[in-house]
Structures are given as structure tokens and as C-alpha cells.
């Protein structure tokens, strides 16, 4: 099987059987992001735990609708950030943004940080779809930074 086909299979699997889908309680922050160019939407909740250096992503949950790339990307994002430290989750987020902007060479990619998100590498060639792939990750980054700010002021 070609690598490209394998990647498409990974994306379709996540689309058909999304991980972490369904909004859950409790949560610190809820955000709603849309990608108007494609019509994709996501509502995402984040619950942080711990403090200082040890802040962890206790739970991420989401509900969404839209194209297969946007929905599969949310499922993949969940796998990479759920239960990790916030630092690690944000690093994965940066790595994925870099992948979408073709800012990194294939051999420089951190496969452990990316997990199945590496299957989206082909999407970077289609500028119109990059926003679809980034939607869930941007929503997570937004929610996590709001949750962190909330924690620091409380
Ligand atoms: Zn889309």
C-alpha cells in the first residue's frame, strides 16, 4: 500500500470512529470555532489539572460537524493532547501547525508528538484544506490558554 493511501485510511478511520467525541463535564472553558471557507464547526471543552510546571490536560471533549478532514483532525488532536502535560500538548500543537505550513522537513518531524496527525502531511499541499485540518487544534490552543489564564487569576 502506498503511504498516501495509508494516510487516507487513517483519516477515514478517525472520521468514521472519532476518539473523544461528545461534550463532557466538568470543564474549565468552552470555545466554539468555525471555518467559514468550508463550513466546519467545532465546540471544544478543556479541563486542566495540576499547577505550575505540572499543569496537565485532564480532559478534552468536542462536538463538531463538517468535512472529513476537519472532523478526523479533531479526533487525532484528542489522542495527542488528552492526559498529557499542557507543555507537551502545546508542543504537539506547534508541531502540527508547522506540518501544515510545510515549515519542517519530513525527516525533522517529531512522530511521537504528532501520532496519527502525521497522516495529514498531504493536506499541506492543498491550501484550501489547511484551515479544515487546523480548526480543532486552534480551538484547543484557544481553550487551553483561556483555561490557564483563569487558573492563574483564581
Ligand atoms: Zn473542511
Amino acid at each position: 500500500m502506498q503511504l498516501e493511501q495509508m494516510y487516507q485510511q487513517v483519516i477515514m478511520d478517525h472520521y468514521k470512529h472519532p476518539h473523544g467525541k461528545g461534550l463532557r463535564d466538568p470543564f474549565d472553558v468552552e470555545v466554539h470555532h468555525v471555518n467559514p471557507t468550508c463550513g466546519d464547526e467545532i465546540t471544544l471543552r478543556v479541563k486542566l489539572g495540576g499547577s505550575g510546571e505540572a499543569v496537565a490536560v485532564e480532559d478534552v471533549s468536542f462536538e463538531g460537524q463538517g468535512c472529513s478532514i476537519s472532523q478526523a483532525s479533531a479526533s487525532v488532536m484528542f489522542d495527542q493532547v488528552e492526559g498529557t502535560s499542557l507543555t507537551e500538548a502545546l508542543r504537539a500543537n506547534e508541531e502540527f501547525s508547522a506540518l501544515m505550513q510545510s515549515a519542517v522537513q519530513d525527516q525533522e518531524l517529531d512522530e511521537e508528538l504528532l501520532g496519527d496527525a502525521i497522516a495529514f502531511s498531504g493536506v499541506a499541499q492543498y491550501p484550501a484544506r489547511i484551515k479544515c485540518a487546523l480548526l480543532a487544534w486552534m480551538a484547543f490552543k484557544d481553550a487551553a490558554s483561556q483555561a490557564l489564564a483563569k487558573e492563574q487569576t483564581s
Side-chain angles (χ1 to χ4, degrees):
M1 204 191 272
Q2 298 283 319
L3 190 61
E4 203 167 313
Q5 283 176 313
M6 203 176 84
Y7 281 173
Q8 275 171 11
Q9 191 59 49
V10 170
I11 293 173
M12 283 319 287
D13 283 349
H14 277 279
Y15 176 57
K16 287 180 186 156
H17 309 286
H19 303 173
K21 197 172 178 179
L23 296 173
R24 284 183 294 278
D25 287 306
F27 64 95
D28 297 328
V29 171
E30 179 181 292
V31 297
H32 182 71
H33 280 217
V34 295
N35 169 22
T37 55
C38 183
D40 312 314
E41 292 188 31
I42 187 165
T43 300
L44 181 141
R45 291 177 174 179
V46 166
K47 169 101 181 81
L48 298 180
S51 60
E53 293 280 292
V55 174
V57 182
E58 267 183 16
D59 194 27
V60 178
S61 63
F62 64 93
E63 204 40 83
Q65 53 187 28
C67 68
S68 55
I69 290 177
S70 69
Q71 301 307 303
S73 186
S75 171
V76 166
M77 183 273 303
F78 169 83
D79 282 351
Q80 295 314 111
V81 305
E82 171 83 357
T84 68
S85 68
L86 182 59
T87 312
E88 190 94 335
L90 293 176
R91 276 182 59 214
N93 211 312
E94 299 256 299
E95 191 78 358
F96 188 70
S97 300
L99 178 70
M100 284 301 106
Q101 288 153 16
S102 305
V104 279
Q105 299 299 315
D106 281 356
Q107 60 271 26
E108 290 171 5
L109 290 170
D110 188 329
E111 293 186 27
E112 204 158 310
L113 270 182
L114 287 169
D116 280 353
I118 204 151
F120 289 79
S121 57
V123 175
Q125 296 162 31
Y126 305 96
R129 311 314 300 275
I130 293 174
K131 282 184 183 167
C132 304
L134 282 174
L135 181 69
W137 294 82
M138 293 298 108
F140 171 76
K141 199 175 171 184
D142 180 20
S145 62
Q146 285 187 43
L148 195 63
K150 219 170 139 180
E151 195 161 286
Q152 282 162 351
T153 54
S154 67

